[in-house]
Amino acid sequence: MFPLTEENKHVAQLLLSTGTCPRCVYRFCGVDFHAPYKLPYKELLDELQKFLETEKDELILEVPNPPPKKIRLQELEDGIDGIDNLSQNGEGRVSVIEDGSIASKNSNLNVCNVCLGILQEFCEKEFIKKVCQKVEASGFEFTNLVFSVSFPPQLSVREHAAWLLVKQEMGKQSLSLGRNDIVQLKEAYKWITHPLFSEELGVPIDGKSLFEVSVVFAHPETVEDCHFLRTICPDCFKPAKNKQSVFTRMAVMKALNKIKEEDFRKQFPCPPNSPKAVCTVLEIECAHGAVFVAGRYNKYSRNLPQTPWIIDGERKLESSVEELISDHLLAVFKAESFNFSSSGREDVDVRTLGNGRPFAIELVNPHRVHFTSQEIKELQQKINNSSNKIQVRDLQLVTREAIGHMKEGEEEKTKSYSALIWTNKVIQKKDIEFLNGIKDLKIDQKTPLRVLHRRPLAVRTRIIHSMETCYVDEHHFHLYLKTQAGTYIKEFVHGDFGRTKPNIGSLMNVTADILELDVESVDVDWPPALDD
């Protein structure tokens, strides 16, 4: 069933005569169902041509300023997928060009003055095949994809001009045409191309897919179409650090919403001039959204930082917990980079024992993303076999949202420690036993001197939930603590020159220091424990 009605006829005649392609004609006639757009270009043009034929085989088309011109639709020759264009001054055809950059059946055509060839050359199977070849060569693993396109901002200006033209003509018939009545170019483009992509790649198009194929179009010939808007609406075009040009699509749309119709018509031709060439493809890019791997790690070395220890560009220690884990994940997932996070951190000289510390790693733009649980187990084993300084458990793939559980209420969680304490005074077992009875001791900790370079100066109240002691000799004892997460244990022992109050030294009336510290447990019930 042909999608246009007699009511559309005048608009279709007007647009076609002034250099607009059949698919854009459909858009401006409000055809909002997919099938007509998917027809091959030549077939679509033939159907539109037949619809517009009159008994005299000739149509008189009104073009406001310039004067009316006659055009024979029958002059279209077989094999040429295009239409005769009248330039704005009515001086005849736009010359037929050949676009060698895209192999297509439509190598000869008059370029649409609205979409600049987007709905002509770039909807064809030949172009889709070229994009798909790039996708398949990229080496990404995917089961669905999202397809995105970026059109040059001047398309919005040309669409606005065509809208004003049609709106004026429809007004003569006491009809109205709102901007929302026009089918968006991007929508029509997706209606046509999505099925072609699915067919070619054998996977569905899914707007929620983590794998994205993006095509960026440009049209150098008409790049100055937007420039007049900056003069009229300077507030809409403000430089941004991450933008090469102020003429972004959003800025152009903002200006078009502000500009008065009469001011626009004075500055830009309605209908827009016909270009000589179709758009060019600036880039075809493939990218995969990040995937996340979580687990728990034990650290058995007192000479290993959690993250790379680099000061003034100089590496202090050869490795770190982060690198010992992430290097393996980067290689297996074929990712470009990573971001490491964990539930707290321990100092370089502190071991993490017990069931380990929860961690998560964001793998950026991974090329491989599908793993069986057995493959993840083997990856965990590979990490564990590569170093005796760390061990990893419960390694698993998680969602971005799930990582929030690691940080949720982090300061309300508890952590358990064991420490070897030295005192300057001789002590007996009875001198430390009173510590066992102290429960939920509140302490105030000013940001420790040793971390003041990376943490803001503040006083933080923390709770020591319980303590248990084990006498060693006259100058040493073991202290087992259960504390609120975020407590600085070393400072609680030696006092940090009075910056932590109270502290073990002040409670015992001695000078105390910490010789060894181990994290015994991090009481965060995440990620879920896995069977060995």
mmCIF file of all heavy atoms in Angstrom, residues 462-499:
data_model
loop_
_atom_site.group_PDB
_atom_site.id
_atom_site.type_symbol
_atom_site.label_atom_id
_atom_site.label_comp_id
_atom_site.label_asym_id
_atom_site.label_seq_id
_atom_site.Cartn_x
_atom_site.Cartn_y
_atom_site.Cartn_z
ATOM 1 N N ARG A 462 35.998 7.320 65.595
ATOM 2 C CA ARG A 462 35.926 5.900 65.273
ATOM 3 C C ARG A 462 35.699 5.096 66.554
ATOM 4 O O ARG A 462 35.915 5.594 67.664
ATOM 5 C CB ARG A 462 37.226 5.421 64.596
ATOM 6 C CG ARG A 462 37.459 6.023 63.215
ATOM 7 C CD ARG A 462 36.451 5.474 62.224
ATOM 8 N NE ARG A 462 36.666 5.964 60.863
ATOM 9 C CZ ARG A 462 36.023 6.987 60.328
ATOM 10 N NH1 ARG A 462 35.119 7.642 61.061
ATOM 11 N NH2 ARG A 462 36.250 7.362 59.095
ATOM 12 N N ILE A 463 35.258 3.856 66.385
ATOM 13 C CA ILE A 463 34.936 3.023 67.548
ATOM 14 C C ILE A 463 35.820 1.781 67.562
ATOM 15 O O ILE A 463 35.923 1.065 66.561
ATOM 16 C CB ILE A 463 33.455 2.605 67.537
ATOM 17 C CG1 ILE A 463 32.562 3.850 67.612
ATOM 18 C CG2 ILE A 463 33.155 1.665 68.707
ATOM 19 C CD1 ILE A 463 31.085 3.540 67.469
ATOM 20 N N ILE A 464 36.440 1.541 68.716
ATOM 21 C CA ILE A 464 37.156 0.287 68.959
ATOM 22 C C ILE A 464 36.163 -0.621 69.680
ATOM 23 O O ILE A 464 35.871 -0.435 70.868
ATOM 24 C CB ILE A 464 38.417 0.504 69.832
ATOM 25 C CG1 ILE A 464 39.301 1.626 69.258
ATOM 26 C CG2 ILE A 464 39.194 -0.809 69.975
ATOM 27 C CD1 ILE A 464 39.856 1.336 67.879
ATOM 28 N N HIS A 465 35.596 -1.581 68.965
ATOM 29 C CA HIS A 465 34.519 -2.403 69.531
ATOM 30 C C HIS A 465 35.015 -3.311 70.651
ATOM 31 O O HIS A 465 34.342 -3.472 71.676
ATOM 32 C CB HIS A 465 33.864 -3.237 68.428
ATOM 33 C CG HIS A 465 33.117 -2.404 67.419
ATOM 34 N ND1 HIS A 465 31.998 -1.686 67.739
ATOM 35 C CD2 HIS A 465 33.353 -2.180 66.098
ATOM 36 C CE1 HIS A 465 31.552 -1.052 66.654
ATOM 37 N NE2 HIS A 465 32.358 -1.333 65.639
ATOM 38 N N SER A 466 36.182 -3.936 70.445
ATOM 39 C CA SER A 466 36.706 -4.836 71.487
ATOM 40 C C SER A 466 38.203 -5.009 71.313
ATOM 41 O O SER A 466 38.747 -4.791 70.224
ATOM 42 C CB SER A 466 36.012 -6.201 71.425
ATOM 43 O OG SER A 466 36.297 -6.834 70.187
ATOM 44 N N MET A 467 38.848 -5.369 72.421
ATOM 45 C CA MET A 467 40.294 -5.656 72.400
ATOM 46 C C MET A 467 40.574 -6.915 73.214
ATOM 47 O O MET A 467 39.880 -7.207 74.195
ATOM 48 C CB MET A 467 41.090 -4.481 72.989
ATOM 49 C CG MET A 467 41.114 -3.239 72.113
ATOM 50 S SD MET A 467 42.160 -1.910 72.780
ATOM 51 C CE MET A 467 41.025 -1.184 73.984
ATOM 52 N N GLU A 468 41.565 -7.624 72.789
ATOM 53 C CA GLU A 468 41.999 -8.826 73.521
ATOM 54 C C GLU A 468 43.520 -8.865 73.474
ATOM 55 O O GLU A 468 44.136 -8.592 72.434
ATOM 56 C CB GLU A 468 41.421 -10.075 72.869
ATOM 57 C CG GLU A 468 41.648 -11.343 73.668
ATOM 58 C CD GLU A 468 40.984 -12.560 73.021
ATOM 59 O OE1 GLU A 468 39.952 -12.383 72.335
ATOM 60 O OE2 GLU A 468 41.534 -13.667 73.192
ATOM 61 N N THR A 469 44.139 -9.180 74.607
ATOM 62 C CA THR A 469 45.603 -9.120 74.688
ATOM 63 C C THR A 469 46.186 -10.512 74.932
ATOM 64 O O THR A 469 45.520 -11.401 75.461
ATOM 65 C CB THR A 469 46.053 -8.191 75.826
ATOM 66 O OG1 THR A 469 45.477 -8.665 77.065
ATOM 67 C CG2 THR A 469 45.591 -6.753 75.561
ATOM 68 N N CYS A 470 47.451 -10.635 74.553
ATOM 69 C CA CYS A 470 48.202 -11.876 74.807
ATOM 70 C C CYS A 470 49.640 -11.474 75.147
ATOM 71 O O CYS A 470 50.354 -10.939 74.296
ATOM 72 C CB CYS A 470 48.159 -12.786 73.594
ATOM 73 S SG CYS A 470 49.047 -14.342 73.821
ATOM 74 N N TYR A 471 50.023 -11.686 76.404
ATOM 75 C CA TYR A 471 51.343 -11.264 76.893
ATOM 76 C C TYR A 471 52.442 -12.077 76.210
ATOM 77 O O TYR A 471 52.340 -13.303 76.073
ATOM 78 C CB TYR A 471 51.398 -11.454 78.408
ATOM 79 C CG TYR A 471 52.675 -10.978 79.045
ATOM 80 C CD1 TYR A 471 52.898 -9.622 79.267
ATOM 81 C CD2 TYR A 471 53.646 -11.895 79.444
ATOM 82 C CE1 TYR A 471 54.073 -9.188 79.877
ATOM 83 C CE2 TYR A 471 54.832 -11.476 80.053
ATOM 84 C CZ TYR A 471 55.043 -10.113 80.260
ATOM 85 O OH TYR A 471 56.207 -9.687 80.859
ATOM 86 N N VAL A 472 53.526 -11.404 75.815
ATOM 87 C CA VAL A 472 54.674 -12.065 75.186
ATOM 88 C C VAL A 472 55.879 -12.003 76.116
ATOM 89 O O VAL A 472 56.436 -13.017 76.529
ATOM 90 C CB VAL A 472 55.007 -11.427 73.817
ATOM 91 C CG1 VAL A 472 56.270 -12.081 73.215
ATOM 92 C CG2 VAL A 472 53.837 -11.562 72.862
ATOM 93 N N ASP A 473 56.338 -10.791 76.464
ATOM 94 C CA ASP A 473 57.449 -10.607 77.399
ATOM 95 C C ASP A 473 57.352 -9.206 77.985
ATOM 96 O O ASP A 473 56.364 -8.514 77.812
ATOM 97 C CB ASP A 473 58.809 -10.860 76.727
ATOM 98 C CG ASP A 473 59.073 -9.954 75.532
ATOM 99 O OD1 ASP A 473 58.655 -8.777 75.564
ATOM 100 O OD2 ASP A 473 59.695 -10.418 74.553
ATOM 101 N N GLU A 474 58.399 -8.781 78.682
ATOM 102 C CA GLU A 474 58.359 -7.523 79.432
ATOM 103 C C GLU A 474 58.149 -6.284 78.561
ATOM 104 O O GLU A 474 57.780 -5.228 79.072
ATOM 105 C CB GLU A 474 59.645 -7.359 80.253
ATOM 106 C CG GLU A 474 59.767 -8.388 81.373
ATOM 107 C CD GLU A 474 61.047 -8.224 82.170
ATOM 108 O OE1 GLU A 474 62.012 -7.621 81.618
ATOM 109 O OE2 GLU A 474 61.083 -8.670 83.322
ATOM 110 N N HIS A 475 58.415 -6.392 77.272
ATOM 111 C CA HIS A 475 58.259 -5.233 76.385
ATOM 112 C C HIS A 475 57.337 -5.494 75.193
ATOM 113 O O HIS A 475 57.185 -4.614 74.351
ATOM 114 C CB HIS A 475 59.637 -4.776 75.861
ATOM 115 C CG HIS A 475 60.474 -4.131 76.909
ATOM 116 N ND1 HIS A 475 60.285 -2.829 77.332
ATOM 117 C CD2 HIS A 475 61.517 -4.619 77.652
ATOM 118 C CE1 HIS A 475 61.178 -2.544 78.265
ATOM 119 N NE2 HIS A 475 61.932 -3.627 78.497
ATOM 120 N N HIS A 476 56.718 -6.677 75.144
ATOM 121 C CA HIS A 476 55.904 -7.015 73.969
ATOM 122 C C HIS A 476 54.610 -7.723 74.352
ATOM 123 O O HIS A 476 54.597 -8.536 75.285
ATOM 124 C CB HIS A 476 56.682 -7.933 73.005
ATOM 125 C CG HIS A 476 57.955 -7.319 72.507
ATOM 126 N ND1 HIS A 476 59.183 -7.467 73.159
ATOM 127 C CD2 HIS A 476 58.196 -6.555 71.406
ATOM 128 C CE1 HIS A 476 60.125 -6.838 72.489
ATOM 129 N NE2 HIS A 476 59.559 -6.270 71.422
ATOM 130 N N PHE A 477 53.563 -7.441 73.618
ATOM 131 C CA PHE A 477 52.320 -8.213 73.737
ATOM 132 C C PHE A 477 51.561 -8.147 72.408
ATOM 133 O O PHE A 477 51.743 -7.227 71.605
ATOM 134 C CB PHE A 477 51.451 -7.714 74.893
ATOM 135 C CG PHE A 477 50.840 -6.353 74.695
ATOM 136 C CD1 PHE A 477 49.546 -6.211 74.197
ATOM 137 C CD2 PHE A 477 51.554 -5.198 75.033
ATOM 138 C CE1 PHE A 477 48.970 -4.955 74.036
ATOM 139 C CE2 PHE A 477 50.983 -3.936 74.870
ATOM 140 C CZ PHE A 477 49.692 -3.811 74.370
ATOM 141 N N HIS A 478 50.734 -9.147 72.215
ATOM 142 C CA HIS A 478 49.862 -9.176 71.037
ATOM 143 C C HIS A 478 48.543 -8.506 71.396
ATOM 144 O O HIS A 478 48.008 -8.723 72.495
ATOM 145 C CB HIS A 478 49.591 -10.613 70.581
ATOM 146 C CG HIS A 478 50.753 -11.224 69.845
ATOM 147 N ND1 HIS A 478 51.184 -10.798 68.626
ATOM 148 C CD2 HIS A 478 51.577 -12.269 70.182
ATOM 149 C CE1 HIS A 478 52.206 -11.521 68.217
ATOM 150 N NE2 HIS A 478 52.474 -12.425 69.143
ATOM 151 N N LEU A 479 48.029 -7.731 70.462
ATOM 152 C CA LEU A 479 46.746 -7.066 70.657
ATOM 153 C C LEU A 479 45.827 -7.433 69.504
ATOM 154 O O LEU A 479 46.182 -7.269 68.332
ATOM 155 C CB LEU A 479 46.935 -5.543 70.695
ATOM 156 C CG LEU A 479 45.665 -4.693 70.854
ATOM 157 C CD1 LEU A 479 45.027 -4.948 72.225
ATOM 158 C CD2 LEU A 479 45.983 -3.203 70.677
ATOM 159 N N TYR A 480 44.661 -7.969 69.847
ATOM 160 C CA TYR A 480 43.653 -8.318 68.836
ATOM 161 C C TYR A 480 42.497 -7.326 68.954
ATOM 162 O O TYR A 480 41.940 -7.144 70.039
ATOM 163 C CB TYR A 480 43.163 -9.757 69.053
ATOM 164 C CG TYR A 480 44.287 -10.765 69.013
ATOM 165 C CD1 TYR A 480 44.913 -11.180 70.193
ATOM 166 C CD2 TYR A 480 44.735 -11.288 67.796
ATOM 167 C CE1 TYR A 480 45.964 -12.081 70.152
ATOM 168 C CE2 TYR A 480 45.788 -12.197 67.755
ATOM 169 C CZ TYR A 480 46.397 -12.578 68.934
ATOM 170 O OH TYR A 480 47.451 -13.464 68.896
ATOM 171 N N LEU A 481 42.177 -6.681 67.848
ATOM 172 C CA LEU A 481 41.168 -5.625 67.879
ATOM 173 C C LEU A 481 40.054 -5.891 66.880
ATOM 174 O O LEU A 481 40.316 -6.410 65.785
ATOM 175 C CB LEU A 481 41.787 -4.263 67.512
ATOM 176 C CG LEU A 481 43.018 -3.764 68.231
ATOM 177 C CD1 LEU A 481 44.241 -4.005 67.357
ATOM 178 C CD2 LEU A 481 42.883 -2.268 68.511
ATOM 179 N N LYS A 482 38.863 -5.493 67.273
ATOM 180 C CA LYS A 482 37.753 -5.420 66.335
ATOM 181 C C LYS A 482 37.311 -3.959 66.313
ATOM 182 O O LYS A 482 36.934 -3.408 67.354
ATOM 183 C CB LYS A 482 36.588 -6.325 66.754
ATOM 184 C CG LYS A 482 35.485 -6.429 65.706
ATOM 185 C CD LYS A 482 34.488 -7.524 66.059
ATOM 186 C CE LYS A 482 33.497 -7.734 64.927
ATOM 187 N NZ LYS A 482 32.568 -8.849 65.197
ATOM 188 N N THR A 483 37.376 -3.338 65.131
ATOM 189 C CA THR A 483 37.164 -1.896 65.068
ATOM 190 C C THR A 483 36.187 -1.528 63.956
ATOM 191 O O THR A 483 35.898 -2.325 63.063
ATOM 192 C CB THR A 483 38.490 -1.151 64.778
ATOM 193 O OG1 THR A 483 38.849 -1.327 63.405
ATOM 194 C CG2 THR A 483 39.607 -1.662 65.671
ATOM 195 N N GLN A 484 35.722 -0.291 64.043
ATOM 196 C CA GLN A 484 34.952 0.278 62.942
ATOM 197 C C GLN A 484 35.882 0.446 61.741
ATOM 198 O O GLN A 484 37.047 0.817 61.890
ATOM 199 C CB GLN A 484 34.390 1.644 63.358
ATOM 200 C CG GLN A 484 33.566 2.331 62.290
ATOM 201 C CD GLN A 484 33.097 3.704 62.744
ATOM 202 O OE1 GLN A 484 33.259 4.077 63.905
ATOM 203 N NE2 GLN A 484 32.517 4.451 61.824
ATOM 204 N N ALA A 485 35.378 0.137 60.549
ATOM 205 C CA ALA A 485 36.181 0.315 59.341
ATOM 206 C C ALA A 485 36.606 1.769 59.225
ATOM 207 O O ALA A 485 35.864 2.681 59.586
ATOM 208 C CB ALA A 485 35.374 -0.104 58.108
ATOM 209 N N GLY A 486 37.819 1.968 58.748
ATOM 210 C CA GLY A 486 38.324 3.333 58.600
ATOM 211 C C GLY A 486 39.171 3.784 59.773
ATOM 212 O O GLY A 486 39.642 4.922 59.794
ATOM 213 N N THR A 487 39.358 2.912 60.752
ATOM 214 C CA THR A 487 40.198 3.255 61.897
ATOM 215 C C THR A 487 41.670 3.097 61.518
ATOM 216 O O THR A 487 42.063 2.102 60.900
ATOM 217 C CB THR A 487 39.881 2.333 63.088
ATOM 218 O OG1 THR A 487 38.483 2.423 63.387
ATOM 219 C CG2 THR A 487 40.690 2.722 64.318
ATOM 220 N N TYR A 488 42.480 4.082 61.900
ATOM 221 C CA TYR A 488 43.932 3.982 61.684
ATOM 222 C C TYR A 488 44.523 3.259 62.889
ATOM 223 O O TYR A 488 44.630 3.819 63.989
ATOM 224 C CB TYR A 488 44.555 5.366 61.528
ATOM 225 C CG TYR A 488 44.166 6.066 60.245
ATOM 226 C CD1 TYR A 488 43.213 7.071 60.231
ATOM 227 C CD2 TYR A 488 44.781 5.707 59.035
ATOM 228 C CE1 TYR A 488 42.858 7.708 59.050
ATOM 229 C CE2 TYR A 488 44.428 6.342 57.852
ATOM 230 C CZ TYR A 488 43.465 7.339 57.862
ATOM 231 O OH TYR A 488 43.129 7.968 56.690
ATOM 232 N N ILE A 489 44.893 1.999 62.694
ATOM 233 C CA ILE A 489 45.319 1.147 63.803
ATOM 234 C C ILE A 489 46.686 1.568 64.340
ATOM 235 O O ILE A 489 46.896 1.632 65.563
ATOM 236 C CB ILE A 489 45.353 -0.336 63.370
ATOM 237 C CG1 ILE A 489 43.975 -0.762 62.829
ATOM 238 C CG2 ILE A 489 45.768 -1.218 64.536
ATOM 239 C CD1 ILE A 489 42.839 -0.604 63.803
ATOM 240 N N LYS A 490 47.630 1.849 63.459
ATOM 241 C CA LYS A 490 48.975 2.237 63.911
ATOM 242 C C LYS A 490 48.904 3.473 64.803
ATOM 243 O O LYS A 490 49.562 3.553 65.842
ATOM 244 C CB LYS A 490 49.883 2.498 62.709
ATOM 245 C CG LYS A 490 50.240 1.248 61.924
ATOM 246 C CD LYS A 490 51.100 1.592 60.709
ATOM 247 C CE LYS A 490 51.494 0.338 59.932
ATOM 248 N NZ LYS A 490 52.294 0.663 58.729
ATOM 249 N N GLU A 491 48.094 4.437 64.397
ATOM 250 C CA GLU A 491 47.972 5.673 65.165
ATOM 251 C C GLU A 491 47.255 5.440 66.494
ATOM 252 O O GLU A 491 47.538 6.120 67.491
ATOM 253 C CB GLU A 491 47.227 6.728 64.330
ATOM 254 C CG GLU A 491 48.084 7.395 63.260
ATOM 255 C CD GLU A 491 48.475 6.463 62.117
ATOM 256 O OE1 GLU A 491 47.761 5.459 61.897
ATOM 257 O OE2 GLU A 491 49.483 6.740 61.428
ATOM 258 N N PHE A 492 46.311 4.467 66.511
ATOM 259 C CA PHE A 492 45.647 4.135 67.767
ATOM 260 C C PHE A 492 46.640 3.551 68.767
ATOM 261 O O PHE A 492 46.492 3.713 69.985
ATOM 262 C CB PHE A 492 44.501 3.158 67.527
ATOM 263 C CG PHE A 492 43.887 2.633 68.799
ATOM 264 C CD1 PHE A 492 43.284 3.489 69.714
ATOM 265 C CD2 PHE A 492 43.923 1.274 69.105
ATOM 266 C CE1 PHE A 492 42.728 3.001 70.896
ATOM 267 C CE2 PHE A 492 43.372 0.785 70.281
ATOM 268 C CZ PHE A 492 42.768 1.656 71.180
ATOM 269 N N VAL A 493 47.664 2.914 68.252
ATOM 270 C CA VAL A 493 48.668 2.340 69.157
ATOM 271 C C VAL A 493 49.642 3.409 69.643
ATOM 272 O O VAL A 493 49.812 3.613 70.849
ATOM 273 C CB VAL A 493 49.432 1.189 68.465
ATOM 274 C CG1 VAL A 493 50.607 0.729 69.349
ATOM 275 C CG2 VAL A 493 48.493 0.028 68.179
ATOM 276 N N HIS A 494 50.301 4.137 68.731
ATOM 277 C CA HIS A 494 51.365 5.062 69.178
ATOM 278 C C HIS A 494 50.892 6.501 69.399
ATOM 279 O O HIS A 494 51.623 7.329 69.948
ATOM 280 C CB HIS A 494 52.551 5.043 68.205
ATOM 281 C CG HIS A 494 52.241 5.427 66.795
ATOM 282 N ND1 HIS A 494 51.771 6.655 66.439
ATOM 283 C CD2 HIS A 494 52.366 4.721 65.635
ATOM 284 C CE1 HIS A 494 51.621 6.721 65.129
ATOM 285 N NE2 HIS A 494 51.951 5.546 64.600
ATOM 286 N N GLY A 495 49.652 6.836 68.961
ATOM 287 C CA GLY A 495 49.090 8.142 69.272
ATOM 288 C C GLY A 495 49.349 9.223 68.247
ATOM 289 O O GLY A 495 48.709 10.276 68.284
ATOM 290 N N ASP A 496 50.343 9.036 67.377
ATOM 291 C CA ASP A 496 50.619 10.000 66.302
ATOM 292 C C ASP A 496 50.834 11.408 66.871
ATOM 293 O O ASP A 496 50.225 12.379 66.417
ATOM 294 C CB ASP A 496 49.471 9.988 65.286
ATOM 295 C CG ASP A 496 49.849 10.633 63.950
ATOM 296 O OD1 ASP A 496 51.059 10.660 63.628
ATOM 297 O OD2 ASP A 496 48.939 11.109 63.247
ATOM 298 N N PHE A 497 51.722 11.483 67.897
ATOM 299 C CA PHE A 497 52.045 12.769 68.530
ATOM 300 C C PHE A 497 50.795 13.462 69.083
ATOM 301 O O PHE A 497 50.631 14.680 68.993
ATOM 302 C CB PHE A 497 52.772 13.709 67.549
ATOM 303 C CG PHE A 497 54.034 13.130 66.982
ATOM 304 C CD1 PHE A 497 54.045 12.582 65.712
ATOM 305 C CD2 PHE A 497 55.209 13.114 67.743
ATOM 306 C CE1 PHE A 497 55.207 12.033 65.188
ATOM 307 C CE2 PHE A 497 56.387 12.571 67.229
ATOM 308 C CZ PHE A 497 56.379 12.017 65.951
ATOM 309 N N GLY A 498 49.898 12.648 69.634
ATOM 310 C CA GLY A 498 48.703 13.194 70.253
ATOM 311 C C GLY A 498 47.559 13.468 69.291
ATOM 312 O O GLY A 498 46.522 14.015 69.698
ATOM 313 N N ARG A 499 47.704 13.065 68.036
ATOM 314 C CA ARG A 499 46.655 13.336 67.054
ATOM 315 C C ARG A 499 45.513 12.319 67.158
ATOM 316 O O ARG A 499 44.429 12.557 66.623
ATOM 317 C CB ARG A 499 47.244 13.328 65.626
ATOM 318 C CG ARG A 499 48.254 14.459 65.401
ATOM 319 C CD ARG A 499 49.014 14.269 64.099
ATOM 320 N NE ARG A 499 48.170 14.492 62.927
ATOM 321 C CZ ARG A 499 47.962 15.689 62.387
ATOM 322 N NH1 ARG A 499 48.498 16.774 62.927
ATOM 323 N NH2 ARG A 499 47.204 15.821 61.318
#
